[in-house]
Amino acid sequence: MTFDLPLIWAAIIAFAVLAYVILDGFDLGVGILFPLFPEKHDRDVMMNSVAPVWDGNETWLVLGGGGLMAVFPLAYATVLPALYAPIIAMLIGLIFRGVAFEYRWRTRRGEFLWNWAFAAGSTLAAFAQGLALGALVQGIPVEDRAYAGGWWDWLTPFSIVTGIAIVVGYGLLGATWLVMKTHGDLAERARRLAVRCCFATVAAMGIVSLWTPFLEPVYLERWFGWPTAIFSVIVPLLVLGCVYLLLKGIRDRRDVQPFIAALGLFVLGYIGIGISFYPYMVPASLTIWDAAAPDESLAFLLAGALVLVPIILAYTGYAYWVFRGKVDPEEGYH
């Protein structure tokens, strides 16, 4: 019995990226919303709600990026030069956000600087991720197995829109996370923000979804050709279902339901990207099999992944279990 190792690894990388987006998305969202909560007590609680888990969430980014380099070296070698600027911007944002977690608690005089580092770093990282996504979706020119575009090809109206969409979407995840993890006035304000971010996120998803099929002929065929055109009905209906559950959860004052529904929106958006991309790693240029390393290398790395990924899942799940429930405003992780 033979296995399609490139396809298996494509699924593993896709899962790692999705795990990063939905896990790191909410703590970036908390940072994005930080300026809207000016009270120090509220900001302390907001940071404490994500402090125990934020660094573990970064593991999936390392797995996704490192895995891409190891198992799809050709895709890595063509995508990275095309996206140097937004990736570097993302890393700078993540560094400032990470440092702010520790330094903000060590100073009073300079606390406002670390507040802004936390908010600006989170927003920059989210926006840069959206720029990179938009640049990848719109296509990366490849000639002779190398990037053939220019330095600024990633910066287009479409990539800017996707950048804004990711910032708004992460804001939704952050708001629903705060609904789930906090009490009192902070949770009430988070509920109101969640409703606004929900409508803004769905509007942004609609704009990007209507724009995407006209970027590449393969997208247009995938979404409007038969039989795959059925996805054009199923996915929007599921999105509307998530929106209904989110708004109903907010109205009924449920704590967990809005967050789960917001995650559902991101999963559906990610599935939509997968539907558009398959079977390409670099849309319209490199397929999964074109970009893959030799099968011998994939098999060797898969043996390690079969051990490593369950361990990451186990300690991630354990961390969330240990720090489950509402954050005590009088106590904190720090």
Side-chain angles (χ1 to χ4, degrees):
M1 183 178 180
T2 59
F3 296 96
D4 192 334
L5 292 175
L7 190 59
I8 292 172
W9 265 109
I12 293 173
I13 298 298
F15 174 76
V17 173
L18 175 62
Y20 170 76
V21 167
I22 62 177
L23 293 179
D24 208 34
F26 69 76
D27 63 57
L28 287 174
V30 169
I32 291 166
L33 299 177
F34 218 56
L36 303 180
F37 294 85
E39 296 295 328
K40 172 177 167 48
H41 179 266
D42 290 341
R43 290 179 170 182
D44 289 348
V45 173
M46 291 169 71
M47 290 195 79
N48 277 325
S49 74
V50 296
V53 296
W54 75 270
D55 46 357
N57 296 339
E58 305 291 332
T59 305
W60 297 103
L61 179 63
V62 176
L63 178 62
L68 182 68
M69 179 181 69
V71 301
F72 296 107
L74 184 56
Y76 186 88
T78 53
V79 169
L80 199 66
L83 303 178
Y84 272 140
I87 288 175
I88 290 172
M90 178 191 73
L91 294 176
I92 291 172
L94 292 175
I95 289 169
F96 272 95
R97 191 272 302 257
V99 172
F101 264 105
E102 302 300 330
Y103 279 38
R104 181 181 178 274
W105 302 92
R106 302 288 182 250
T107 179
R108 287 292 174 263
R109 184 174 59 183
E111 183 177 336
F112 75 98
L113 293 174
W114 296 112
N115 286 337
W116 280 107
F118 181 61
S122 299
T123 305
L124 176 61
F127 185 65
Q129 289 174 19
L131 285 175
L133 173 63
L136 185 60
V137 170
Q138 71 190 10
I140 293 175
V142 177
E143 291 181 9
D144 297 326
R145 299 165 63 88
Y147 175 58
W151 175 251
W152 295 101
D153 284 9
W154 54 270
L155 186 60
T156 65
F158 179 76
S159 67
I160 292 172
V161 169
T162 57
I164 295 170
I166 293 297
V167 171
V168 173
Y170 282 177
L172 172 64
L173 290 178
T176 54
W177 172 261
L178 293 175
V179 169
M180 185 171 69
K181 298 293 289 184
T182 63
H183 300 272
D185 183 62
L186 175 55
E188 289 304 312
R189 282 184 285 167
R191 289 180 194 277
R192 294 192 292 270
L193 279 172
V195 173
R196 297 171 192 167
C197 289
C198 176
F199 288 117
T201 299
V202 173
M205 289 178 69
I207 293 170
V208 172
S209 298
L210 291 173
W211 197 336
T212 298
F214 301 99
L215 295 173
E216 291 281 354
V218 65
Y219 299 157
L220 191 63
E221 174 63 26
R222 183 64 50 82
W223 285 101
F224 296 105
W226 185 258
T228 50
I230 195 170
F231 293 128
S232 298
V233 177
I234 294 174
V235 173
L237 287 176
L238 292 175
V239 167
L240 291 176
C242 287
V243 171
Y244 170 76
L245 291 174
L246 194 156
L247 296 177
K248 188 175 187 299
I250 294 291
R251 186 191 64 191
D252 295 346
R253 310 189 66 76
R254 298 182 184 275
D255 293 333
V256 178
Q257 183 173 314
F259 182 65
I260 299 300
L263 292 180
L265 286 176
F266 268 80
V267 171
L268 289 171
Y270 195 75
I271 290 172
I273 294 171
I275 292 170
S276 297
F277 274 29
Y278 184 82
Y280 291 99
M281 288 294 293
V282 180
S285 298
L286 293 173
T287 67
I288 293 169
W289 299 272
D290 293 334
D295 279 357
E296 293 78 7
S297 298
L298 297 182
F300 176 77
L301 292 167
L302 183 60
L306 291 175
V307 176
L308 181 63
V309 172
I311 292 174
I312 297 174
L313 286 170
Y315 80 65
T316 299
Y318 180 71
Y320 280 91
W321 174 256
V322 169
F323 293 100
R324 67 192 182 278
K326 298 278 188 178
V327 175
D328 188 340
E330 304 306 321
E331 297 181 359
Y333 175 71
H334 284 83

mmCIF file of all heavy atoms in Angstrom, residues 252-296:
data_model
loop_
_atom_site.group_PDB
_atom_site.id
_atom_site.type_symbol
_atom_site.label_atom_id
_atom_site.label_comp_id
_atom_site.label_asym_id
_atom_site.label_seq_id
_atom_site.Cartn_x
_atom_site.Cartn_y
_atom_site.Cartn_z
ATOM 1 N N ASP A 252 -28.163 35.920 23.985
ATOM 2 C CA ASP A 252 -28.563 35.055 25.094
ATOM 3 C C ASP A 252 -27.554 35.064 26.233
ATOM 4 O O ASP A 252 -27.710 34.302 27.196
ATOM 5 C CB ASP A 252 -28.753 33.620 24.595
ATOM 6 C CG ASP A 252 -29.906 33.494 23.609
ATOM 7 O OD1 ASP A 252 -30.710 34.442 23.514
ATOM 8 O OD2 ASP A 252 -29.984 32.460 22.921
ATOM 9 N N ARG A 253 -26.517 35.887 26.104
ATOM 10 C CA ARG A 253 -25.497 36.055 27.139
ATOM 11 C C ARG A 253 -24.764 34.747 27.435
ATOM 12 O O ARG A 253 -24.428 34.448 28.585
ATOM 13 C CB ARG A 253 -26.106 36.660 28.413
ATOM 14 C CG ARG A 253 -26.950 37.901 28.167
ATOM 15 C CD ARG A 253 -27.349 38.586 29.438
ATOM 16 N NE ARG A 253 -26.181 39.127 30.121
ATOM 17 C CZ ARG A 253 -25.521 40.236 29.754
ATOM 18 N NH1 ARG A 253 -25.919 40.923 28.677
ATOM 19 N NH2 ARG A 253 -24.487 40.658 30.433
ATOM 20 N N ARG A 254 -24.507 34.000 26.381
ATOM 21 C CA ARG A 254 -23.679 32.805 26.521
ATOM 22 C C ARG A 254 -22.207 33.216 26.408
ATOM 23 O O ARG A 254 -21.876 34.118 25.650
ATOM 24 C CB ARG A 254 -24.038 31.769 25.460
ATOM 25 C CG ARG A 254 -25.486 31.281 25.558
ATOM 26 C CD ARG A 254 -25.766 30.225 24.503
ATOM 27 N NE ARG A 254 -27.154 29.806 24.521
ATOM 28 C CZ ARG A 254 -27.648 28.865 25.316
ATOM 29 N NH1 ARG A 254 -26.836 28.233 26.163
ATOM 30 N NH2 ARG A 254 -28.923 28.545 25.273
ATOM 31 N N ASP A 255 -21.366 32.535 27.128
ATOM 32 C CA ASP A 255 -19.955 32.933 27.156
ATOM 33 C C ASP A 255 -19.113 32.241 26.094
ATOM 34 O O ASP A 255 -18.252 32.866 25.470
ATOM 35 C CB ASP A 255 -19.365 32.639 28.547
ATOM 36 C CG ASP A 255 -19.961 33.517 29.625
ATOM 37 O OD1 ASP A 255 -20.405 34.637 29.305
ATOM 38 O OD2 ASP A 255 -19.992 33.078 30.800
ATOM 39 N N VAL A 256 -19.346 30.956 25.886
ATOM 40 C CA VAL A 256 -18.477 30.165 25.009
ATOM 41 C C VAL A 256 -18.959 30.185 23.559
ATOM 42 O O VAL A 256 -18.148 30.217 22.623
ATOM 43 C CB VAL A 256 -18.382 28.716 25.524
ATOM 44 C CG1 VAL A 256 -17.511 27.873 24.599
ATOM 45 C CG2 VAL A 256 -17.829 28.687 26.946
ATOM 46 N N GLN A 257 -20.260 30.172 23.344
ATOM 47 C CA GLN A 257 -20.817 30.036 22.001
ATOM 48 C C GLN A 257 -20.313 31.089 21.014
ATOM 49 O O GLN A 257 -19.964 30.735 19.878
ATOM 50 C CB GLN A 257 -22.348 30.076 22.071
ATOM 51 C CG GLN A 257 -23.040 29.872 20.714
ATOM 52 C CD GLN A 257 -24.548 29.753 20.864
ATOM 53 O OE1 GLN A 257 -25.047 29.037 21.733
ATOM 54 N NE2 GLN A 257 -25.287 30.463 20.012
ATOM 55 N N PRO A 258 -20.241 32.383 21.387
ATOM 56 C CA PRO A 258 -19.741 33.359 20.414
ATOM 57 C C PRO A 258 -18.317 33.071 19.961
ATOM 58 O O PRO A 258 -17.988 33.242 18.779
ATOM 59 C CB PRO A 258 -19.833 34.691 21.178
ATOM 60 C CG PRO A 258 -20.896 34.467 22.204
ATOM 61 C CD PRO A 258 -20.739 33.034 22.617
ATOM 62 N N PHE A 259 -17.464 32.622 20.885
ATOM 63 C CA PHE A 259 -16.077 32.330 20.521
ATOM 64 C C PHE A 259 -15.999 31.140 19.568
ATOM 65 O O PHE A 259 -15.269 31.183 18.567
ATOM 66 C CB PHE A 259 -15.260 32.057 21.788
ATOM 67 C CG PHE A 259 -13.798 31.798 21.522
ATOM 68 C CD1 PHE A 259 -12.982 32.791 21.008
ATOM 69 C CD2 PHE A 259 -13.243 30.549 21.786
ATOM 70 C CE1 PHE A 259 -11.634 32.554 20.756
ATOM 71 C CE2 PHE A 259 -11.908 30.311 21.547
ATOM 72 C CZ PHE A 259 -11.095 31.308 21.031
ATOM 73 N N ILE A 260 -16.757 30.092 19.848
ATOM 74 C CA ILE A 260 -16.759 28.921 18.974
ATOM 75 C C ILE A 260 -17.283 29.300 17.586
ATOM 76 O O ILE A 260 -16.746 28.861 16.559
ATOM 77 C CB ILE A 260 -17.614 27.794 19.580
ATOM 78 C CG1 ILE A 260 -17.044 27.359 20.933
ATOM 79 C CG2 ILE A 260 -17.693 26.611 18.622
ATOM 80 C CD1 ILE A 260 -15.638 26.834 20.881
ATOM 81 N N ALA A 261 -18.329 30.129 17.540
ATOM 82 C CA ALA A 261 -18.879 30.553 16.250
ATOM 83 C C ALA A 261 -17.870 31.402 15.478
ATOM 84 O O ALA A 261 -17.751 31.285 14.257
ATOM 85 C CB ALA A 261 -20.171 31.337 16.462
ATOM 86 N N ALA A 262 -17.130 32.266 16.188
ATOM 87 C CA ALA A 262 -16.096 33.077 15.530
ATOM 88 C C ALA A 262 -14.992 32.193 14.963
ATOM 89 O O ALA A 262 -14.500 32.419 13.842
ATOM 90 C CB ALA A 262 -15.521 34.091 16.513
ATOM 91 N N LEU A 263 -14.598 31.163 15.722
ATOM 92 C CA LEU A 263 -13.629 30.206 15.195
ATOM 93 C C LEU A 263 -14.176 29.521 13.944
ATOM 94 O O LEU A 263 -13.434 29.265 12.985
ATOM 95 C CB LEU A 263 -13.289 29.155 16.251
ATOM 96 C CG LEU A 263 -12.513 29.615 17.483
ATOM 97 C CD1 LEU A 263 -12.258 28.433 18.411
ATOM 98 C CD2 LEU A 263 -11.199 30.270 17.099
ATOM 99 N N GLY A 264 -15.478 29.225 13.959
ATOM 100 C CA GLY A 264 -16.109 28.613 12.796
ATOM 101 C C GLY A 264 -15.986 29.478 11.555
ATOM 102 O O GLY A 264 -15.749 28.969 10.447
ATOM 103 N N LEU A 265 -16.141 30.777 11.718
ATOM 104 C CA LEU A 265 -15.985 31.689 10.574
ATOM 105 C C LEU A 265 -14.579 31.593 9.992
ATOM 106 O O LEU A 265 -14.390 31.568 8.767
ATOM 107 C CB LEU A 265 -16.269 33.131 11.008
ATOM 108 C CG LEU A 265 -17.725 33.502 11.263
ATOM 109 C CD1 LEU A 265 -17.822 34.936 11.782
ATOM 110 C CD2 LEU A 265 -18.555 33.358 9.990
ATOM 111 N N PHE A 266 -13.581 31.534 10.861
ATOM 112 C CA PHE A 266 -12.204 31.440 10.373
ATOM 113 C C PHE A 266 -11.944 30.091 9.705
ATOM 114 O O PHE A 266 -11.250 30.026 8.677
ATOM 115 C CB PHE A 266 -11.221 31.668 11.527
ATOM 116 C CG PHE A 266 -10.805 33.099 11.665
ATOM 117 C CD1 PHE A 266 -11.637 34.005 12.292
ATOM 118 C CD2 PHE A 266 -9.604 33.553 11.151
ATOM 119 C CE1 PHE A 266 -11.274 35.335 12.414
ATOM 120 C CE2 PHE A 266 -9.229 34.878 11.264
ATOM 121 C CZ PHE A 266 -10.066 35.779 11.895
ATOM 122 N N VAL A 267 -12.469 29.034 10.279
ATOM 123 C CA VAL A 267 -12.286 27.715 9.669
ATOM 124 C C VAL A 267 -12.922 27.680 8.281
ATOM 125 O O VAL A 267 -12.335 27.155 7.323
ATOM 126 C CB VAL A 267 -12.887 26.623 10.573
ATOM 127 C CG1 VAL A 267 -12.904 25.279 9.849
ATOM 128 C CG2 VAL A 267 -12.093 26.503 11.869
ATOM 129 N N LEU A 268 -14.111 28.253 8.151
ATOM 130 C CA LEU A 268 -14.773 28.280 6.847
ATOM 131 C C LEU A 268 -13.997 29.131 5.843
ATOM 132 O O LEU A 268 -13.874 28.773 4.670
ATOM 133 C CB LEU A 268 -16.198 28.804 6.995
ATOM 134 C CG LEU A 268 -17.178 27.863 7.696
ATOM 135 C CD1 LEU A 268 -18.493 28.573 7.988
ATOM 136 C CD2 LEU A 268 -17.432 26.621 6.847
ATOM 137 N N GLY A 269 -13.480 30.275 6.300
ATOM 138 C CA GLY A 269 -12.652 31.090 5.417
ATOM 139 C C GLY A 269 -11.417 30.332 4.962
ATOM 140 O O GLY A 269 -11.010 30.408 3.789
ATOM 141 N N TYR A 270 -10.820 29.584 5.881
ATOM 142 C CA TYR A 270 -9.634 28.789 5.558
ATOM 143 C C TYR A 270 -9.976 27.674 4.575
ATOM 144 O O TYR A 270 -9.202 27.396 3.641
ATOM 145 C CB TYR A 270 -9.061 28.221 6.844
ATOM 146 C CG TYR A 270 -7.660 27.695 6.730
ATOM 147 C CD1 TYR A 270 -6.569 28.561 6.651
ATOM 148 C CD2 TYR A 270 -7.414 26.331 6.721
ATOM 149 C CE1 TYR A 270 -5.281 28.083 6.557
ATOM 150 C CE2 TYR A 270 -6.121 25.835 6.635
ATOM 151 C CZ TYR A 270 -5.063 26.714 6.554
ATOM 152 O OH TYR A 270 -3.782 26.234 6.459
ATOM 153 N N ILE A 271 -11.122 27.041 4.785
ATOM 154 C CA ILE A 271 -11.573 26.008 3.841
ATOM 155 C C ILE A 271 -11.777 26.616 2.455
ATOM 156 O O ILE A 271 -11.427 26.006 1.436
ATOM 157 C CB ILE A 271 -12.863 25.346 4.351
ATOM 158 C CG1 ILE A 271 -12.564 24.486 5.577
ATOM 159 C CG2 ILE A 271 -13.520 24.496 3.258
ATOM 160 C CD1 ILE A 271 -13.793 23.936 6.262
ATOM 161 N N GLY A 272 -12.336 27.816 2.412
ATOM 162 C CA GLY A 272 -12.523 28.499 1.133
ATOM 163 C C GLY A 272 -11.213 28.729 0.410
ATOM 164 O O GLY A 272 -11.111 28.539 -0.814
ATOM 165 N N ILE A 273 -10.182 29.113 1.168
ATOM 166 C CA ILE A 273 -8.858 29.290 0.558
ATOM 167 C C ILE A 273 -8.336 27.957 0.034
ATOM 168 O O ILE A 273 -7.775 27.879 -1.066
ATOM 169 C CB ILE A 273 -7.876 29.897 1.582
ATOM 170 C CG1 ILE A 273 -8.297 31.320 1.937
ATOM 171 C CG2 ILE A 273 -6.454 29.887 1.030
ATOM 172 C CD1 ILE A 273 -7.516 31.910 3.087
ATOM 173 N N GLY A 274 -8.536 26.900 0.829
ATOM 174 C CA GLY A 274 -8.094 25.577 0.390
ATOM 175 C C GLY A 274 -8.792 25.126 -0.880
ATOM 176 O O GLY A 274 -8.168 24.536 -1.767
ATOM 177 N N ILE A 275 -10.097 25.399 -0.968
ATOM 178 C CA ILE A 275 -10.841 25.055 -2.180
ATOM 179 C C ILE A 275 -10.272 25.796 -3.387
ATOM 180 O O ILE A 275 -10.123 25.239 -4.484
ATOM 181 C CB ILE A 275 -12.337 25.374 -2.000
ATOM 182 C CG1 ILE A 275 -12.957 24.427 -0.967
ATOM 183 C CG2 ILE A 275 -13.086 25.275 -3.330
ATOM 184 C CD1 ILE A 275 -14.357 24.820 -0.553
ATOM 185 N N SER A 276 -9.927 27.056 -3.190
ATOM 186 C CA SER A 276 -9.364 27.852 -4.285
ATOM 187 C C SER A 276 -7.983 27.363 -4.694
ATOM 188 O O SER A 276 -7.654 27.305 -5.872
ATOM 189 C CB SER A 276 -9.277 29.328 -3.872
ATOM 190 O OG SER A 276 -10.546 29.871 -3.626
ATOM 191 N N PHE A 277 -7.160 26.999 -3.695
ATOM 192 C CA PHE A 277 -5.757 26.682 -3.966
ATOM 193 C C PHE A 277 -5.550 25.291 -4.568
ATOM 194 O O PHE A 277 -4.698 25.125 -5.438
ATOM 195 C CB PHE A 277 -4.945 26.780 -2.674
ATOM 196 C CG PHE A 277 -4.445 28.159 -2.368
ATOM 197 C CD1 PHE A 277 -5.137 29.276 -2.798
ATOM 198 C CD2 PHE A 277 -3.290 28.347 -1.634
ATOM 199 C CE1 PHE A 277 -4.692 30.550 -2.507
ATOM 200 C CE2 PHE A 277 -2.826 29.614 -1.338
ATOM 201 C CZ PHE A 277 -3.522 30.717 -1.773
ATOM 202 N N TYR A 278 -6.265 24.295 -4.065
ATOM 203 C CA TYR A 278 -5.962 22.917 -4.424
ATOM 204 C C TYR A 278 -5.984 22.719 -5.950
ATOM 205 O O TYR A 278 -6.900 23.199 -6.606
ATOM 206 C CB TYR A 278 -6.971 21.965 -3.769
ATOM 207 C CG TYR A 278 -6.650 20.518 -4.019
ATOM 208 C CD1 TYR A 278 -5.701 19.860 -3.249
ATOM 209 C CD2 TYR A 278 -7.285 19.819 -5.049
ATOM 210 C CE1 TYR A 278 -5.394 18.528 -3.484
ATOM 211 C CE2 TYR A 278 -6.975 18.490 -5.292
ATOM 212 C CZ TYR A 278 -6.027 17.850 -4.513
ATOM 213 O OH TYR A 278 -5.711 16.542 -4.762
ATOM 214 N N PRO A 279 -4.978 22.058 -6.509
ATOM 215 C CA PRO A 279 -3.862 21.321 -5.897
ATOM 216 C C PRO A 279 -2.565 22.121 -5.840
ATOM 217 O O PRO A 279 -1.475 21.537 -5.815
ATOM 218 C CB PRO A 279 -3.705 20.137 -6.849
ATOM 219 C CG PRO A 279 -3.976 20.750 -8.195
ATOM 220 C CD PRO A 279 -5.054 21.803 -7.960
ATOM 221 N N TYR A 280 -2.640 23.431 -5.798
ATOM 222 C CA TYR A 280 -1.435 24.264 -5.870
ATOM 223 C C TYR A 280 -0.908 24.607 -4.482
ATOM 224 O O TYR A 280 -1.670 24.866 -3.562
ATOM 225 C CB TYR A 280 -1.725 25.557 -6.629
ATOM 226 C CG TYR A 280 -1.990 25.352 -8.100
ATOM 227 C CD1 TYR A 280 -3.288 25.310 -8.586
ATOM 228 C CD2 TYR A 280 -0.942 25.188 -8.992
ATOM 229 C CE1 TYR A 280 -3.542 25.115 -9.932
ATOM 230 C CE2 TYR A 280 -1.183 24.995 -10.348
ATOM 231 C CZ TYR A 280 -2.481 24.956 -10.811
ATOM 232 O OH TYR A 280 -2.725 24.765 -12.154
ATOM 233 N N MET A 281 0.422 24.646 -4.363
ATOM 234 C CA MET A 281 1.075 25.250 -3.208
ATOM 235 C C MET A 281 1.287 26.740 -3.463
ATOM 236 O O MET A 281 1.106 27.559 -2.581
ATOM 237 C CB MET A 281 2.427 24.582 -2.928
ATOM 238 C CG MET A 281 2.317 23.179 -2.359
ATOM 239 S SD MET A 281 1.589 23.141 -0.693
ATOM 240 C CE MET A 281 2.846 23.953 0.274
ATOM 241 N N VAL A 282 1.708 27.047 -4.679
ATOM 242 C CA VAL A 282 1.801 28.433 -5.141
ATOM 243 C C VAL A 282 0.801 28.554 -6.281
ATOM 244 O O VAL A 282 1.008 27.963 -7.350
ATOM 245 C CB VAL A 282 3.223 28.782 -5.630
ATOM 246 C CG1 VAL A 282 3.282 30.232 -6.102
ATOM 247 C CG2 VAL A 282 4.245 28.532 -4.522
ATOM 248 N N PRO A 283 -0.304 29.263 -6.066
ATOM 249 C CA PRO A 283 -1.411 29.241 -7.040
ATOM 250 C C PRO A 283 -0.979 29.490 -8.477
ATOM 251 O O PRO A 283 -0.242 30.438 -8.764
ATOM 252 C CB PRO A 283 -2.325 30.360 -6.531
ATOM 253 C CG PRO A 283 -2.068 30.401 -5.065
ATOM 254 C CD PRO A 283 -0.612 30.089 -4.902
ATOM 255 N N ALA A 284 -1.430 28.589 -9.339
ATOM 256 C CA ALA A 284 -1.227 28.642 -10.783
ATOM 257 C C ALA A 284 0.230 28.488 -11.196
ATOM 258 O O ALA A 284 0.554 28.632 -12.366
ATOM 259 C CB ALA A 284 -1.798 29.929 -11.374
ATOM 260 N N SER A 285 1.132 28.172 -10.230
ATOM 261 C CA SER A 285 2.548 28.035 -10.568
ATOM 262 C C SER A 285 3.132 26.689 -10.156
ATOM 263 O O SER A 285 3.762 26.001 -10.963
ATOM 264 C CB SER A 285 3.365 29.168 -9.920
ATOM 265 O OG SER A 285 2.970 30.428 -10.403
ATOM 266 N N LEU A 286 2.939 26.304 -8.900
ATOM 267 C CA LEU A 286 3.534 25.075 -8.386
ATOM 268 C C LEU A 286 2.473 24.244 -7.684
ATOM 269 O O LEU A 286 1.814 24.726 -6.759
ATOM 270 C CB LEU A 286 4.658 25.393 -7.389
ATOM 271 C CG LEU A 286 5.914 26.070 -7.928
ATOM 272 C CD1 LEU A 286 6.831 26.446 -6.773
ATOM 273 C CD2 LEU A 286 6.648 25.158 -8.900
ATOM 274 N N THR A 287 2.327 22.992 -8.115
ATOM 275 C CA THR A 287 1.398 22.099 -7.434
ATOM 276 C C THR A 287 2.073 21.502 -6.195
ATOM 277 O O THR A 287 3.287 21.660 -5.989
ATOM 278 C CB THR A 287 0.944 20.953 -8.351
ATOM 279 O OG1 THR A 287 2.069 20.101 -8.618
ATOM 280 C CG2 THR A 287 0.367 21.492 -9.653
ATOM 281 N N ILE A 288 1.282 20.822 -5.382
ATOM 282 C CA ILE A 288 1.811 20.152 -4.196
ATOM 283 C C ILE A 288 2.941 19.208 -4.580
ATOM 284 O O ILE A 288 3.985 19.155 -3.913
ATOM 285 C CB ILE A 288 0.680 19.380 -3.485
ATOM 286 C CG1 ILE A 288 -0.346 20.364 -2.916
ATOM 287 C CG2 ILE A 288 1.235 18.471 -2.400
ATOM 288 C CD1 ILE A 288 -1.620 19.702 -2.428
ATOM 289 N N TRP A 289 2.788 18.467 -5.655
ATOM 290 C CA TRP A 289 3.757 17.456 -6.054
ATOM 291 C C TRP A 289 4.974 18.090 -6.712
ATOM 292 O O TRP A 289 6.086 17.585 -6.574
ATOM 293 C CB TRP A 289 3.082 16.449 -6.976
ATOM 294 C CG TRP A 289 1.966 15.769 -6.252
ATOM 295 C CD1 TRP A 289 2.047 14.639 -5.488
ATOM 296 C CD2 TRP A 289 0.602 16.208 -6.189
ATOM 297 N NE1 TRP A 289 0.824 14.333 -4.952
ATOM 298 C CE2 TRP A 289 -0.093 15.276 -5.366
ATOM 299 C CE3 TRP A 289 -0.107 17.271 -6.741
ATOM 300 C CZ2 TRP A 289 -1.447 15.397 -5.080
ATOM 301 C CZ3 TRP A 289 -1.462 17.395 -6.457
ATOM 302 C CH2 TRP A 289 -2.126 16.469 -5.635
ATOM 303 N N ASP A 290 4.792 19.218 -7.399
ATOM 304 C CA ASP A 290 5.942 19.923 -7.974
ATOM 305 C C ASP A 290 6.873 20.445 -6.890
ATOM 306 O O ASP A 290 8.101 20.455 -7.058
ATOM 307 C CB ASP A 290 5.474 21.124 -8.817
ATOM 308 C CG ASP A 290 4.722 20.715 -10.065
ATOM 309 O OD1 ASP A 290 4.962 19.589 -10.557
ATOM 310 O OD2 ASP A 290 3.889 21.510 -10.550
ATOM 311 N N ALA A 291 6.283 20.928 -5.796
ATOM 312 C CA ALA A 291 7.053 21.621 -4.769
ATOM 313 C C ALA A 291 7.634 20.685 -3.719
ATOM 314 O O ALA A 291 8.465 21.117 -2.908
ATOM 315 C CB ALA A 291 6.162 22.656 -4.085
ATOM 316 N N ALA A 292 7.221 19.419 -3.704
ATOM 317 C CA ALA A 292 7.580 18.517 -2.613
ATOM 318 C C ALA A 292 9.023 18.036 -2.701
ATOM 319 O O ALA A 292 9.612 17.930 -3.781
ATOM 320 C CB ALA A 292 6.638 17.316 -2.603
ATOM 321 N N ALA A 293 9.581 17.742 -1.538
ATOM 322 C CA ALA A 293 10.891 17.104 -1.450
ATOM 323 C C ALA A 293 10.763 15.640 -1.891
ATOM 324 O O ALA A 293 9.652 15.127 -2.068
ATOM 325 C CB ALA A 293 11.407 17.190 -0.013
ATOM 326 N N PRO A 294 11.892 14.931 -2.062
ATOM 327 C CA PRO A 294 11.829 13.506 -2.428
ATOM 328 C C PRO A 294 11.037 12.693 -1.402
ATOM 329 O O PRO A 294 11.016 13.028 -0.206
ATOM 330 C CB PRO A 294 13.299 13.083 -2.461
ATOM 331 C CG PRO A 294 14.052 14.344 -2.726
ATOM 332 C CD PRO A 294 13.277 15.430 -2.038
ATOM 333 N N ASP A 295 10.412 11.629 -1.865
ATOM 334 C CA ASP A 295 9.588 10.804 -0.985
ATOM 335 C C ASP A 295 10.373 10.262 0.203
ATOM 336 O O ASP A 295 9.829 10.106 1.307
ATOM 337 C CB ASP A 295 8.980 9.645 -1.772
ATOM 338 C CG ASP A 295 7.744 10.072 -2.550
ATOM 339 O OD1 ASP A 295 7.333 11.256 -2.422
ATOM 340 O OD2 ASP A 295 7.185 9.227 -3.283
ATOM 341 N N GLU A 296 11.660 9.940 0.002
ATOM 342 C CA GLU A 296 12.469 9.426 1.101
ATOM 343 C C GLU A 296 12.568 10.453 2.231
ATOM 344 O O GLU A 296 12.478 10.108 3.420
ATOM 345 C CB GLU A 296 13.871 9.049 0.609
ATOM 346 C CG GLU A 296 13.922 7.877 -0.355
ATOM 347 C CD GLU A 296 13.517 8.257 -1.777
ATOM 348 O OE1 GLU A 296 13.313 9.465 -2.049
ATOM 349 O OE2 GLU A 296 13.396 7.338 -2.611
#
